[in-house]
Amino acid sequence: MTRILVSKSNAIIPFISSFYILRSSSVRPYSSLKGKVGVRINVENEVKCLDDAVNLFNRMVRMKPLPSLPVFCELLNTMINMKHYYAVISLFREMRKLDIPINEFIFSNVINNYCLMHRVDCAFSLLPIHLKSGIPFNVVTFTTLIRGLFAENKVTDAVVLFKKLVREKICEPNKVMYGTVMNGLSKRGHTEKTLSLLRLMEQGSTKPDIYIYSIVIDAFCKDRNLDAAISILNEMKRKGIPLDIVTYSSLIDGSCKLGQWEKVKTLFSEMVNLNIYPTVLTFNILIDGLCKEGKVEDAEEVMRHMIEKGVEPNIITYSVIMDGYCLRGQVDRARRVFDVLIDKGIEPNIFSYNILINGYCKKKEVANAMQLLGEISQRGSKPYVVTYNTIQQGLFDVGRIGDAKKIYAEMLSRGPVPNSSTHHTLLKGYFRYGLVEEAMSLFNKLKINREDTDIELYNVVINGLCKNGKLDEAQSVFENLSLIGLPLDVRTYNTMITGFCLQGLLDEAKSMLRKMKKNSCLPDNVTYNVFVQGFLRWSKFSEMRTFMVEMADRGFSFDASTAGILVNVVRENPSVLDMIPELHSKNKY
């Protein structure tokens, strides 16, 4: 018997310290269930919604004999695909109560179900039940668990589990498991570890294929290390590993992000010579790269070329070009592209609407944005919370406070549920127009309901109060943070220091700086710039000189606001310049 010890320090399973894998003759083979034949059930045809699934399950458990286990397995899998995760757990528990045999496929489905719910702890809790049923764990089970750990960003736990499986020879990792681990590592920036796993595979019995190499190439491209990615490509060529469109798409994406357009041309030519033809995804990558560099006309030329080659643009193609025009402030041209996609019979999605709505709001054409919001509902879609947040910000930008309130009221009554960004936008809007009472009323409601009351929300409130001259109230909110246990960040301190400096309370600002350092929160470039601006505004030049020297020693420099204030002060008092050369000389060493 093989024992897997699960380290508490890595917290792979918080409440299970160990479990066992049995390899004995007592394991009941799934083949023993083959003799059972019940009424033929077509799950795909019968199940269209959750009620259908539950009704079918209730029929199945009353049948004599019971339907075969693959039918139960198919039913659970169908429900998982429909994202009825809680219902799957409920039916699985009912099967156990009724003593319906559970096979490895059903266990795998339920473990996967928990992982999709981001409850990998519950998935691990099934392993002892799995064990008691006499069913051996396999590579599929552990691959699912590793994927679940990565999905919850428990990278260390995923790596520890993988190493344990390999080191203790609990199961032989296959290409899918290697791919899962490598994909999880690469997406979180662990490129060198991903490469190390590739080298480990090359030495073992499970050899890497095109999929594995493509993960490594994509990781290097995301790291903007195109040379290393090309090196892996050349390695594949030398080993005779056939290349595919996924590999080239990653390289084209990396080249676009680095603006290496000649390399993009070379890769396209190389692909075609190998009879690998670009798909709509490949063209979209190129179009997106061009749009992000402001080359939207070139992007449209690429779209015309893809149509000539028989590759039809999709909603993503048009949306990317729309976004490109909006980034350049050419919302009218973006609207023309939007109209073209509708004329072609392509149904616009919420993302294409959001792009155009954001573009209109940035140009302060809120009426057009509101019209599009109405269109979304008319087409049977539902606006996302980001859609409402964008329009709410646009309304505040043009001073339509009443309409911004109506948008918020609509979200509360009909959905979607407002998020932290909604509340930040609303509070900033109220403070911007001096509606301090309304802002504080909303803030107090959020506190009572414990909604989105993170440090960011407090920063917004403290900043709003300071800018409205309510320094005592801001300080009261600030002091309350330590009582409720919210950790203060550098922005919180900077906001209070700014408030003091604007009021000329420089001693209080310096006291706040000392408190900041005492609490191990290091001042940043903003902190020093705020102090220098305060000293300049209130003509405390000797104190400013001390801060400027310290600022230079820490490698910080003036921002545009500080430089602007300094220029204005120097016009009135040229002697202030006497301290600048000393600062410059300090920076040379």
Side-chain angles (χ1 to χ4, degrees), residues 25-135:
S25 57
S26 64
V27 173
R28 178 183 59 204
Y30 176 62
S31 58
S32 65
L33 298 164
K34 278 187 175 175
K36 289 189 176 181
V37 180
V39 178
R40 184 169 181 80
I41 297 169
N42 191 320
V43 174
E44 187 179 354
N45 286 347
E46 290 199 38
V47 177
K48 302 300 179 187
C49 64
L50 178 58
D51 285 345
D52 292 345
V54 173
N55 290 335
L56 177 57
F57 177 82
N58 290 333
R59 271 174 44 217
M60 286 165 60
V61 297
R62 290 196 297 268
M63 289 179 180
K64 296 189 184 299
L66 285 172
S68 64
L69 287 187
V71 180
F72 282 100
C73 191
E74 187 184 355
L75 175 60
L76 293 179
N77 195 47
T78 300
M79 293 171 69
I80 290 169
N81 290 335
M82 295 165 74
K83 300 185 179 180
H84 294 306
Y85 304 133
Y86 288 99
V88 169
I89 303 305
S90 178
L91 296 194
F92 173 69
R93 287 173 180 162
E94 192 65 23
M95 287 177 72
R96 293 192 62 222
K97 279 183 190 174
L98 296 169
D99 290 326
I100 296 172
I102 308 293
N103 65 12
E104 62 189 286
F105 302 106
I106 290 173
F107 267 119
S108 291
N109 267 335
V110 180
I111 286 170
N112 183 45
N113 184 77
Y114 271 128
C115 289
L116 290 169
M117 293 167 70
H118 291 277
R119 289 303 309 268
V120 73
D121 54 336
C122 294
F124 273 107
S125 73
L126 286 179
L127 296 182
I129 304 170
H130 201 300
L131 171 72
K132 286 176 185 175
S133 301
I135 301 168

Side-chain angles (χ1 to χ4, degrees), residues 389-414:
N389 291 350
T390 302
I391 286 186
Q392 192 179 66
Q393 182 63 60
L395 289 166
F396 275 121
D397 286 343
V398 296
R400 290 171 59 177
I401 303 160
D403 289 329
K405 289 181 186 177
K406 286 177 186 174
I407 288 290
Y408 182 61
E410 187 176 318
M411 292 175 76
L412 291 174
S413 63
R414 295 193 303 180

Side-chain angles (χ1 to χ4, degrees), residues 34-260:
K34 278 187 175 175
K36 289 189 176 181
V37 180
V39 178
R40 184 169 181 80
I41 297 169
N42 191 320
V43 174
E44 187 179 354
N45 286 347
E46 290 199 38
V47 177
K48 302 300 179 187
C49 64
L50 178 58
D51 285 345
D52 292 345
V54 173
N55 290 335
L56 177 57
F57 177 82
N58 290 333
R59 271 174 44 217
M60 286 165 60
V61 297
R62 290 196 297 268
M63 289 179 180
K64 296 189 184 299
L66 285 172
S68 64
L69 287 187
V71 180
F72 282 100
C73 191
E74 187 184 355
L75 175 60
L76 293 179
N77 195 47
T78 300
M79 293 171 69
I80 290 169
N81 290 335
M82 295 165 74
K83 300 185 179 180
H84 294 306
Y85 304 133
Y86 288 99
V88 169
I89 303 305
S90 178
L91 296 194
F92 173 69
R93 287 173 180 162
E94 192 65 23
M95 287 177 72
R96 293 192 62 222
K97 279 183 190 174
L98 296 169
D99 290 326
I100 296 172
I102 308 293
N103 65 12
E104 62 189 286
F105 302 106
I106 290 173
F107 267 119
S108 291
N109 267 335
V110 180
I111 286 170
N112 183 45
N113 184 77
Y114 271 128
C115 289
L116 290 169
M117 293 167 70
H118 291 277
R119 289 303 309 268
V120 73
D121 54 336
C122 294
F124 273 107
S125 73
L126 286 179
L127 296 182
I129 304 170
H130 201 300
L131 171 72
K132 286 176 185 175
S133 301
I135 301 168
F137 301 131
N138 57 28
V139 70
V140 175
T141 307
F142 286 115
T143 300
T144 303
L145 289 168
I146 288 170
R147 188 181 295 114
L149 288 167
F150 275 119
E152 293 184 33
N153 214 27
K154 296 177 179 177
V155 179
T156 303
D157 291 348
V159 172
V160 166
L161 177 57
F162 175 73
K163 284 181 177 177
K164 190 176 287 290
L165 296 174
V166 175
R167 193 185 304 118
E168 299 181 14
K169 297 182 179 177
I170 294 163
C171 74
E172 180 71 26
N174 60 12
K175 286 176 185 175
V176 177
M177 181 180 280
Y178 271 111
T180 300
V181 177
M182 291 170 73
N183 205 31
L185 288 169
S186 70
K187 283 183 176 175
R188 287 153 187 87
H190 300 290
T191 304
E192 289 306 316
K193 288 181 182 177
T194 307
L195 180 62
S196 296
L197 275 178
L198 172 67
R199 300 309 178 206
L200 182 68
M201 281 187 79
E202 289 172 339
Q203 295 164 13
S205 57
T206 305
K207 298 298 180 186
D209 59 8
I210 177 65
Y211 169 67
I212 298 294
Y213 277 103
S214 293
I215 291 172
V216 180
I217 286 174
D218 189 57
F220 278 124
C221 287
K222 284 184 168 58
D223 267 3
R224 304 174 76 84
N225 191 347
L226 197 57
D227 290 339
I230 296 291
S231 175
I232 296 290
L233 179 74
N234 292 333
E235 190 181 311
M236 291 170 69
K237 290 176 183 175
R238 287 194 301 273
K239 291 179 178 177
I241 296 169
L243 308 175
D244 67 4
I245 189 62
V246 176
T247 315
Y248 276 103
S249 293
S250 292
L251 288 164
I252 288 166
D253 186 38
S255 302
C256 287
K257 284 185 169 70
L258 292 171
Q260 295 191 16

